[in-house]
Amino acid sequence: MGRATLAQELKKDISHHLLELYKWRRKYEDDNSYFCVEVPAASQQPPDEQALFPTFFRMSNLSCAYEIILYDAALIMLLGFGGSTIGPSFDVRMSEYPNPHATRRGPLFLPGEAQHPRAVAIELCKIAEYCLCAHPNSAGLWLISPLKVAYLSFPPASREAKWLSSRMAAIADLSGFEIGRHQDRQPPIGSGGKKQGGLSSHVAVVD
């Protein structure tokens, strides 16, 4: 199998998985009666701690938050892989596969709206902040993997990356689950093995 054929197969595989992920998200939006509201971070943040973002997303329950966070983590990886392997022609919206629009229930991204891994990672962080503040005894270990994925969307020296590292360290301190403590050893997805920060030069370095 030639290099061009392999590249074409990889493109088809990434696009297929992204389309399936979008289908799941549309169905989730239509089938679930959850709610999500954007609220000022000051309403939940300790007075001596500066919030990463001015607002965060309050979900109707922890289960819904968990499901959307896992979706966001998978989307971050697919957008990163697509940007780094397919390049600027990567169709994030999957416009050649028309699907009915989901009914919007709140401020979260619907399928195809988030163009870059960084935007999805910010959404993930704002939901994770709700989980850690509103459910400190329930949220924790299950957040480790999604937080690690989100970390790869930001330069290591950024405020977002430092916030994610601090949250992973706090979870490790509380749970004793040391493997959850962030170690910056692996290169970012889509970086070609170079520790530059961000998922892909095509899709992640966006202001």
Side-chain angles (χ1 to χ4, degrees):
M1 186 180 290
R3 189 180 184 88
T5 304
L6 282 172
Q8 193 63 28
E9 287 298 315
L10 182 58
K11 177 180 178 179
K12 286 172 58 178
D13 196 41
I14 292 171
S15 297
H16 167 75
H17 284 92
L18 182 59
L19 181 61
E20 290 301 309
L21 193 64
Y22 282 170
K23 287 179 179 177
W24 178 90
R25 182 67 179 87
R26 287 189 184 92
K27 190 173 188 305
Y28 187 88
E29 195 76 5
D30 291 336
D31 292 351
N32 290 275
S33 58
Y34 79 95
F35 74 83
C36 172
V37 293
E38 194 164 12
V39 298
S43 66
Q44 196 75 40
Q45 206 74 19
D48 59 341
E49 185 176 333
Q50 184 177 5
L52 176 62
F53 303 106
T55 61
F56 70 96
F57 294 131
R58 177 177 291 160
M59 307 291 289
S60 53
N61 57 66
L62 196 58
S63 176
C64 289
Y66 182 36
E67 289 163 346
I68 297 297
I69 280 176
L70 289 181
Y71 163 83
D72 279 347
L75 182 57
I76 289 168
M77 296 185 73
L78 283 174
L79 293 182
F81 292 150
S84 60
T85 58
I86 300 172
S89 64
F90 181 42
D91 182 12
V92 174
R93 291 187 175 88
M94 294 284 102
S95 54
E96 62 180 297
Y97 304 101
N99 280 283
H101 293 290
T103 302
R104 182 177 296 281
R105 295 183 183 276
L108 301 180
F109 288 123
L110 291 180
E113 291 183 344
Q115 302 295 298
H116 310 284
R118 181 176 176 179
V120 184
I122 289 173
E123 177 176 278
L124 189 156
C125 289
K126 292 169 78 170
I127 301 174
E129 183 77 333
Y130 152 77
C131 297
L132 291 168
C133 290
H135 302 274
N137 297 322
S138 302
L141 290 181
W142 60 265
L143 275 175
I144 289 292
S145 292
L147 292 179
K148 284 180 177 288
V149 172
Y151 180 91
L152 297 178
S153 301
F154 304 107
S158 66
R159 288 182 66 239
E160 293 89 349
K162 292 177 180 177
W163 180 87
L164 285 159
S165 291
S166 71
R167 291 302 185 264
M168 286 185 274
I171 293 171
D173 290 340
L174 288 172
S175 66
F177 193 64
E178 284 301 310
I179 198 172
R181 197 178 301 279
H182 176 71
Q183 298 291 333
D184 188 23
R185 293 174 181 170
Q186 72 277 21
I189 300 169
S191 67
K194 299 177 182 178
K195 289 192 176 184
Q196 297 174 344
L199 277 164
S200 162
S201 59
H202 293 295
V203 292
V205 185
V206 178
D207 293 329

